[in-house]
């Protein structure tokens, strides 16, 4: 999830440290995100247990014609947070992209290295951002994410994902996706659910990889957005350095209404920054039977172990009887191979 302008505290962090079943039908066997689960074991990377059974039981009851819990296909909406829910978030990928952009911009114009906030990033000047607070960090985000056409920005994002390696794991970004979640996305889609990403990260960055990484098309991504303007001379849309919608915490239900127009019946987020509580509560208010899922990062060996200081997400999950994923206990495999 993106806690996050969505990435504000994270810049400081960097500155401080700077088997598939043979009955499975594969659309493209080279890419796990396009495998549609149709077998008797649709979630092979999930350990057999109560949570796995509950997920399958929910899907079966709401998709069975004649069931009192049946949900019409047009109402089978599933929303997933991205950072910490579909892929790792230590550090945030979009954080890495912002610093990648700083490096590129300084290479193209060395004079920027002497101007703030670029100078602070290059010199890892933590004090600059502590003193400048949100204003300084928003300035950095705006400088690296706006002022270009959408085509230019998409090219920059694609170039980043082609070459970037994830710190600490030394693997391509694609390999920090969670294999159990890829299977869950496919299982839901195989049963008529329409899957959306609802992220605190900027919508354009996630749109650049959503189809390839998750089998989710661009128009099914909801995220933080900047204001747009149409440049008649260039016949292109360009982003301005002004936030339009901050899609985190209470902003997520608003973003869902704006982009989707209806409550999800299945919602999945993670604990770590309390950014998904509102989305899961919103889902639970659905008139149809709903399912809320919260990922708990408690596996320091295969992924990471961290929690909120006030334990708010897990406490809220217990209070509202949401399902909680223990990465350590519920996932047989954590990260995707490719």
């Amino acid at each position: 999830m993106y806690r996050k302008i969505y990435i504000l505290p994270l810049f400081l962090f960097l500155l401080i440290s700077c088997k598939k079943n043979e009955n499975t039908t594969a659309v493209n066997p080279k890419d796990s995100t396009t495998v549609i689960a149709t077998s008797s074991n649709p979630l092979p990377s999930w350990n057999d247990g109560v949570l796995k059974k509950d997920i399958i039981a929910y899907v079966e009851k709401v998709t069975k014609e004649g069931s009192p819990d049946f949900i019409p296909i047009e109402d089978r909406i599933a929303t997933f947070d991205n950072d910490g829910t579909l892929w790792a978030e230590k550090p945030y990928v979009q954080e890495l992209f912002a610093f990648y952009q700083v490096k590129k911009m300084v290479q193209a114009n060395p004079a920027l290295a002497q101007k703030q906030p670029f100078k602070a990033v290059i010199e890892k000047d933590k004090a600059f951002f502590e003193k400048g607070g949100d204003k300084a960090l928003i300035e950095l985000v705006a400088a690296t994410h706006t002022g270009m056409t959408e085509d230019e920005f998409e090219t920059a994002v694609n170039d980043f994902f082609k070459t970037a390696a994830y710190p600490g794991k030394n693997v391509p970004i694609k390999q920090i996706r969670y294999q159990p979640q890829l299977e869950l996305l496919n299982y839901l889609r195989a049963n008529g659910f329409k899957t959306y990403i609802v992220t605190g990260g900027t919508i354009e960055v996630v749109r650049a990889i959503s189809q390839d990484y998750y089998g989710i098309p661009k128009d099914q991504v909801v995220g933080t957005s900047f204001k747009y303007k149409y440049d008649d001379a260039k016949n292109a849309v360009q982003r301005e350095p002004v936030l339009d919608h901050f899609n985190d915490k209470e902003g997520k239900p608003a973003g869902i209404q704006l982009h989707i127009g209806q409550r999800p019946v299945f919602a999945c987020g993670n604990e770590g920054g309390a950014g998904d509580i509102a989305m899961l509560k919103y889902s639970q208010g659905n008139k149809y039977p709903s399912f809320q899922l919260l990922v708990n990062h408690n596996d320091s060996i295969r992924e990471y172990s961290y929690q909120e200081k006030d334990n708010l997400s897990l406490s809220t999950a217990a209070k509202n009887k949401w399902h909680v994923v223990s990465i350590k206990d519920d996932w047989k495999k954590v990260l995707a191979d490719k």
Side-chain angles (χ1 to χ4, degrees):
M1 136 86 341
Y2 214 74
R3 332 282 179 228
K4 314 162 183 150
I5 141 164
Y6 59 103
I7 51 181
L8 302 185
L10 309 170
F11 280 117
L12 292 179
F13 171 78
L14 273 195
L15 290 168
I16 292 170
S17 63
C18 240
K19 178 176 189 227
K20 293 186 178 81
N21 188 293
E22 54 192 26
N23 292 328
T24 298
T25 301
V27 176
N28 178 0
K30 293 182 179 180
D31 189 344
S32 63
T33 67
T34 57
V35 174
I36 300 174
T38 57
S39 71
S40 58
N41 183 21
L43 304 173
S45 294
W46 293 69
N47 285 319
D48 293 331
V50 174
L51 180 55
K52 181 176 178 177
K53 290 178 180 177
D54 284 350
I55 293 172
I56 293 174
Y58 171 77
V59 172
E60 289 180 345
K61 78 175 184 179
V62 301
T63 59
K64 183 179 180 181
E65 292 277 1
S67 166
D69 295 316
F70 178 77
I71 300 176
I73 195 165
E74 63 270 19
D75 295 313
R76 296 178 202 169
I77 303 296
T79 58
F80 286 75
D81 169 55
N82 189 37
D83 297 297
T85 299
L86 295 179
W87 68 14
E89 63 175 0
K90 294 291 182 179
Y92 293 108
V93 171
Q94 194 158 1
E95 180 183 339
L96 300 176
F97 171 71
F99 281 87
Y100 167 85
Q101 283 288 85
V102 167
K103 183 178 179 180
K104 279 184 59 180
M105 294 172 74
V106 169
Q107 286 176 342
N109 182 8
L112 289 176
Q114 301 306 315
K115 296 180 179 180
Q116 297 292 12
F118 300 92
K119 187 174 185 290
V121 174
I122 297 298
E123 297 178 357
K124 299 181 181 180
D125 182 5
K126 179 181 78 169
F128 173 82
F129 290 98
E130 289 179 336
K131 183 179 180 179
D134 290 357
K135 182 179 178 181
L137 292 167
I138 290 173
E139 183 183 354
L140 177 59
V141 174
T144 57
H145 287 63
T146 65
M148 64 194 82
T149 68
E150 286 306 303
D151 291 340
E152 291 169 339
F153 186 76
E154 187 168 338
T155 296
V157 174
N158 289 335
D159 288 345
F160 165 75
F161 280 104
K162 287 176 184 176
T163 60
Y166 198 71
K169 302 286 185 185
N170 197 31
V171 297
I173 301 298
K174 200 170 189 178
Q175 288 181 227
I176 63 161
R177 297 173 302 162
Y178 300 138
Q179 182 62 32
Q181 297 290 64
L182 300 179
E183 295 168 1
L184 179 55
L185 287 171
N186 292 324
Y187 178 53
L188 291 173
R189 288 193 289 259
N191 283 277
F193 285 81
K194 193 170 184 178
T195 55
Y196 289 82
I197 294 175
V198 180
T199 176
T202 60
I203 192 169
E204 297 86 0
V205 170
V206 180
R207 279 176 171 173
I209 50 85
S210 62
Q211 180 67 60
D212 181 35
Y213 280 31
Y214 304 121
I216 295 177
K218 289 182 178 182
D219 62 346
Q220 289 168 220
V221 175
V222 182
T224 294
S225 59
F226 289 91
K227 289 188 178 296
Y228 293 103
K229 69 176 181 180
Y230 173 68
D231 188 326
D232 184 64
K234 293 182 178 180
N235 192 22
V237 171
Q238 187 165 329
R239 262 175 301 155
E240 299 180 294
V242 180
L243 275 179
D244 183 43
H245 176 66
F246 179 34
N247 197 63
D248 196 33
K249 298 185 177 179
E250 288 76 13
K252 288 200 170 186
I256 289 170
Q257 177 59 35
L258 178 64
H259 290 268
I260 306 174
Q262 62 189 105
R263 294 178 191 254
V265 294
F266 191 106
C268 181
N270 80 110
E271 67 86 27
D276 293 318
I277 293 175
M279 179 174 72
L280 271 63
K281 282 185 176 179
Y282 187 56
S283 168
Q284 198 164 24
N286 206 296
K287 65 180 181 179
Y288 294 111
S290 62
F291 196 103
Q292 292 72 43
L293 190 61
L294 188 78
V295 178
N296 180 20
H297 299 274
N298 61 353
D299 193 328
S300 61
I301 305 299
R302 297 182 301 167
E303 203 242 357
Y304 304 99
S305 181
Y306 56 93
Q307 271 133 14
E308 298 155 5
K309 290 182 179 180
D310 59 4
N311 210 39
L312 182 58
S313 292
L314 290 174
S315 296
T316 306
K319 178 181 178 181
N320 291 283
K321 295 180 169 43
W322 297 341
H323 297 78
V324 175
V325 175
S326 164
I327 292 182
K328 183 178 180 180
D329 299 327
D330 291 314
W331 287 355
K332 188 181 302 182
K333 176 184 178 64
V334 178
L335 302 180
D337 293 326
K338 59 181 180 178

